[in-house]
Amino acid sequence: MANETLKAEIIEYAKSIGIDKIGFAAANPFAEMKSRLKMQQDDDYQSGFEKGTIEERTEPELHLDDAESIIAIAVAYPSRMKSRPTNKKGNRRGNFCRASWGHDYHIVLNEKLEKLEAYIASRVTGFRSRSMVDTGELSDRAVAERAGIGFSGKNCSIITPEFGSYVYLGEMITNIPFPSDEPVDDGCGDCTLCIEACPTGALVAPGRLNAQNCIAFVTQTKGFMPDEYREKVGNQLYGFDTCQLVCPKNKGIDTHHHPELEPDPELVKPELLPLLSISNREFKQSFGKMAGSWRGKKPIQRNAIIALAHYKETSAVDRLIELMKEDPRPVIRGTAAWAIGKIGREDGRQAILDCQQQEVDEEVLEEMAKGLAYFSHR
Ligand code: SF4
């Protein structure tokens, strides 16, 4: 009963610090999740960004030896921006996914969890906890599902009845045995829209994602982008929203509760060409506070080149030729050479031929050959 009262007080306090939804669950191991993760590992469907072993991802006690319950939190983010900059020929723009709009959610949610921990510690002697947001070992989704934050959709997102899947998730393992909340009923029914809309077939079955094929993951890799994704990635610079955008549970959902999560249109839909000349310092200053900058500027620049090729943006060819000639990074030189071919401005062919004479990197030479092939097929 005492913990019922404490739970009610925590829920009130959580609201006051901008936590949009909170749920409580027992800290038993996530047995079902364990077998799912094992299957993902065996099938080589993992992204490689996962942290910790399968045990660490599914056994709360490995993070807090006297774990009794887990508090799950959700913070809702916007799905629409107030003024969208125009994306037009001669000044093409790229796109960051919605989860990367606004201030990095890891920081925002960790701050809220720290406040919540301090609040509980001020009321309970001997309180112990361990909090995580996304990059922690424990599976945010498994915790959120058990704690009644939302159900796990076929698109592998947690879908809340109030905010759709446009929520960031975090959790706190505690040594207090709180009464548990009821899970939310599965709401997908017969719908398969996300599976049908996925351009790479990455949703291999309901609730099963081959992260290796997921565009969101592909935008975050640092090497050459495999050919089969270059057209499908379009103008995405970071992440991918299609499986959320098509979801009927997200229809009409657009939450603006947190000023720090509002997007700056110039940053989340940035002009592509200036991105190709941005220094490390400028990149950090402009994009460093966004979750989508965590892999540094190289993947964003590679994706910007692919986006310019997607648009066949002839005004970018001069800069692409410079990059092909001078950039010290093979991924940028090679992707630029491929893009020059794809865009197809006539002087691009000779530029590639000239650069071919000096190029020594095998992968860049392969990309140059692909670029030249575009000219011969025209
Ligand atoms: Fe579920 Fe349909 Fe949404 Fe996919 S699109 S998560 S199947 S409701």
Short mmCIF file of all heavy atoms in Angstrom, two decimals, residues 130-156:
data_model
loop_
_atom_site.label_atom_id
_atom_site.label_comp_id
_atom_site.label_asym_id
_atom_site.label_seq_id
_atom_site.Cartn_x
_atom_site.Cartn_y
_atom_site.Cartn_z
N ARG A 130 19.17 2.29 -11.51
CA ARG A 130 20.07 2.39 -12.66
C ARG A 130 19.19 2.79 -13.85
O ARG A 130 18.22 2.10 -14.15
CB ARG A 130 20.76 1.03 -12.87
CG ARG A 130 21.48 0.83 -14.15
CD ARG A 130 22.93 1.35 -14.12
NE ARG A 130 23.37 1.60 -15.49
CZ ARG A 130 23.84 0.68 -16.33
NH1 ARG A 130 23.96 -0.56 -15.91
NH2 ARG A 130 24.18 1.00 -17.57
N SER A 131 19.51 3.92 -14.44
CA SER A 131 18.69 4.44 -15.55
C SER A 131 19.38 4.29 -16.89
O SER A 131 20.62 4.31 -16.97
CB SER A 131 18.38 5.92 -15.30
OG SER A 131 17.51 6.04 -14.22
N MET A 132 18.58 4.18 -17.93
CA MET A 132 19.13 4.03 -19.30
C MET A 132 18.21 4.67 -20.32
O MET A 132 16.99 4.70 -20.12
CB MET A 132 19.21 2.55 -19.69
CG MET A 132 20.04 1.71 -18.78
SD MET A 132 19.96 -0.01 -19.28
CE MET A 132 20.69 -0.73 -17.83
N VAL A 133 18.81 5.15 -21.38
CA VAL A 133 18.04 5.69 -22.52
C VAL A 133 18.68 5.18 -23.79
O VAL A 133 19.81 5.57 -24.11
CB VAL A 133 18.05 7.24 -22.54
CG1 VAL A 133 17.29 7.76 -23.75
CG2 VAL A 133 17.46 7.81 -21.27
N ASP A 134 18.00 4.30 -24.48
CA ASP A 134 18.41 3.85 -25.82
C ASP A 134 19.78 3.17 -25.88
O ASP A 134 19.88 2.03 -26.28
CB ASP A 134 18.33 5.04 -26.80
CG ASP A 134 18.63 4.63 -28.22
OD1 ASP A 134 18.31 3.50 -28.57
OD2 ASP A 134 19.18 5.45 -28.98
N THR A 135 20.82 3.89 -25.48
CA THR A 135 22.15 3.30 -25.62
C THR A 135 22.53 2.42 -24.43
O THR A 135 23.63 1.88 -24.39
CB THR A 135 23.22 4.41 -25.80
OG1 THR A 135 23.00 5.37 -24.78
CG2 THR A 135 23.12 5.07 -27.14
N GLY A 136 21.63 2.29 -23.46
CA GLY A 136 21.88 1.36 -22.36
C GLY A 136 21.70 -0.06 -22.86
O GLY A 136 21.26 -0.28 -23.98
N GLU A 137 22.03 -1.02 -22.03
CA GLU A 137 21.96 -2.41 -22.50
C GLU A 137 20.52 -2.93 -22.56
O GLU A 137 20.17 -3.67 -23.47
CB GLU A 137 22.78 -3.33 -21.57
CG GLU A 137 24.28 -3.07 -21.57
CD GLU A 137 24.67 -2.04 -20.52
OE1 GLU A 137 23.78 -1.33 -20.01
OE2 GLU A 137 25.88 -1.94 -20.24
N LEU A 138 19.73 -2.57 -21.56
CA LEU A 138 18.38 -3.13 -21.49
C LEU A 138 17.53 -2.68 -22.68
O LEU A 138 17.68 -1.55 -23.15
CB LEU A 138 17.74 -2.65 -20.17
CG LEU A 138 16.77 -3.60 -19.49
CD1 LEU A 138 17.40 -4.95 -19.21
CD2 LEU A 138 16.28 -2.97 -18.17
N SER A 139 16.65 -3.57 -23.14
CA SER A 139 15.82 -3.22 -24.30
C SER A 139 14.70 -2.26 -23.87
O SER A 139 13.79 -2.64 -23.13
CB SER A 139 15.22 -4.49 -24.90
OG SER A 139 14.15 -4.14 -25.73
N ASP A 140 14.76 -1.02 -24.36
CA ASP A 140 13.74 -0.01 -24.04
C ASP A 140 12.36 -0.51 -24.42
O ASP A 140 11.38 -0.29 -23.72
CB ASP A 140 13.96 1.28 -24.84
CG ASP A 140 15.27 1.95 -24.52
OD1 ASP A 140 15.67 1.90 -23.36
OD2 ASP A 140 15.87 2.53 -25.44
N ARG A 141 12.31 -1.19 -25.56
CA ARG A 141 11.00 -1.60 -26.09
C ARG A 141 10.36 -2.67 -25.20
O ARG A 141 9.17 -2.62 -24.91
CB ARG A 141 11.15 -2.12 -27.52
CG ARG A 141 11.27 -1.00 -28.53
CD ARG A 141 10.89 -1.47 -29.90
NE ARG A 141 11.81 -2.47 -30.41
CZ ARG A 141 11.45 -3.67 -30.86
NH1 ARG A 141 10.19 -4.03 -30.88
NH2 ARG A 141 12.35 -4.52 -31.31
N ALA A 142 11.19 -3.64 -24.80
CA ALA A 142 10.65 -4.73 -23.96
C ALA A 142 10.13 -4.16 -22.64
O ALA A 142 9.06 -4.54 -22.17
CB ALA A 142 11.74 -5.77 -23.71
N VAL A 143 10.87 -3.21 -22.08
CA VAL A 143 10.46 -2.61 -20.81
C VAL A 143 9.16 -1.82 -21.01
O VAL A 143 8.20 -1.96 -20.25
CB VAL A 143 11.57 -1.67 -20.26
CG1 VAL A 143 11.08 -0.93 -19.03
CG2 VAL A 143 12.83 -2.46 -19.95
N ALA A 144 9.13 -1.00 -22.06
CA ALA A 144 7.96 -0.15 -22.31
C ALA A 144 6.71 -1.00 -22.53
O ALA A 144 5.61 -0.66 -22.08
CB ALA A 144 8.21 0.75 -23.52
N GLU A 145 6.88 -2.11 -23.21
CA GLU A 145 5.75 -3.00 -23.50
C GLU A 145 5.21 -3.59 -22.18
O GLU A 145 4.02 -3.54 -21.91
CB GLU A 145 6.25 -4.12 -24.42
CG GLU A 145 5.18 -4.85 -25.14
CD GLU A 145 5.76 -5.92 -26.08
OE1 GLU A 145 7.00 -6.06 -26.20
OE2 GLU A 145 4.95 -6.62 -26.70
N ARG A 146 6.13 -4.09 -21.37
CA ARG A 146 5.69 -4.72 -20.11
C ARG A 146 5.07 -3.68 -19.16
O ARG A 146 4.16 -3.99 -18.41
CB ARG A 146 6.89 -5.39 -19.43
CG ARG A 146 6.48 -6.16 -18.19
CD ARG A 146 7.67 -6.70 -17.43
NE ARG A 146 8.22 -7.90 -18.03
CZ ARG A 146 9.33 -8.51 -17.57
NH1 ARG A 146 9.97 -8.00 -16.55
NH2 ARG A 146 9.79 -9.60 -18.15
N ALA A 147 5.57 -2.47 -19.19
CA ALA A 147 5.10 -1.44 -18.25
C ALA A 147 3.86 -0.71 -18.75
O ALA A 147 3.43 0.26 -18.14
CB ALA A 147 6.22 -0.45 -17.98
N GLY A 148 3.30 -1.15 -19.88
CA GLY A 148 2.04 -0.56 -20.34
C GLY A 148 2.19 0.80 -21.02
O GLY A 148 1.23 1.56 -21.13
N ILE A 149 3.39 1.10 -21.51
CA ILE A 149 3.57 2.37 -22.24
C ILE A 149 2.88 2.26 -23.61
O ILE A 149 2.23 3.19 -24.08
CB ILE A 149 5.08 2.69 -22.41
CG1 ILE A 149 5.74 2.93 -21.06
CG2 ILE A 149 5.31 3.85 -23.38
CD1 ILE A 149 5.43 4.25 -20.39
N GLY A 150 3.04 1.13 -24.24
CA GLY A 150 2.42 0.92 -25.54
C GLY A 150 2.59 -0.52 -25.96
O GLY A 150 3.22 -1.31 -25.25
N PHE A 151 2.03 -0.86 -27.13
CA PHE A 151 2.23 -2.23 -27.63
C PHE A 151 3.33 -2.20 -28.69
O PHE A 151 3.64 -1.15 -29.25
CB PHE A 151 0.93 -2.81 -28.19
CG PHE A 151 0.45 -2.16 -29.46
CD1 PHE A 151 0.80 -2.67 -30.72
CD2 PHE A 151 -0.35 -1.03 -29.42
CE1 PHE A 151 0.36 -2.08 -31.89
CE2 PHE A 151 -0.79 -0.41 -30.59
CZ PHE A 151 -0.44 -0.94 -31.82
N SER A 152 3.91 -3.36 -28.92
CA SER A 152 4.99 -3.43 -29.89
C SER A 152 4.38 -3.68 -31.28
O SER A 152 3.79 -4.73 -31.52
CB SER A 152 5.94 -4.56 -29.50
OG SER A 152 7.06 -4.54 -30.33
N GLY A 153 4.49 -2.69 -32.17
CA GLY A 153 3.87 -2.78 -33.49
C GLY A 153 4.63 -3.71 -34.42
O GLY A 153 5.77 -4.08 -34.16
N LYS A 154 3.98 -4.04 -35.53
CA LYS A 154 4.64 -4.88 -36.54
C LYS A 154 5.85 -4.16 -37.13
O LYS A 154 6.72 -4.77 -37.72
CB LYS A 154 3.65 -5.27 -37.65
CG LYS A 154 2.58 -6.24 -37.17
CD LYS A 154 1.59 -6.59 -38.28
CE LYS A 154 0.44 -7.40 -37.70
NZ LYS A 154 -0.67 -7.58 -38.66
N ASN A 155 5.87 -2.82 -36.97
CA ASN A 155 7.02 -2.05 -37.48
C ASN A 155 8.14 -1.96 -36.46
O ASN A 155 9.09 -1.20 -36.63
CB ASN A 155 6.58 -0.64 -37.90
CG ASN A 155 6.05 0.19 -36.74
OD1 ASN A 155 6.04 -0.26 -35.60
ND2 ASN A 155 5.61 1.41 -37.04
N CYS A 156 8.02 -2.73 -35.36
CA CYS A 156 9.04 -2.80 -34.31
C CYS A 156 9.13 -1.52 -33.47
O CYS A 156 10.11 -1.33 -32.76
CB CYS A 156 10.42 -3.14 -34.87
SG CYS A 156 10.46 -4.73 -35.65
#
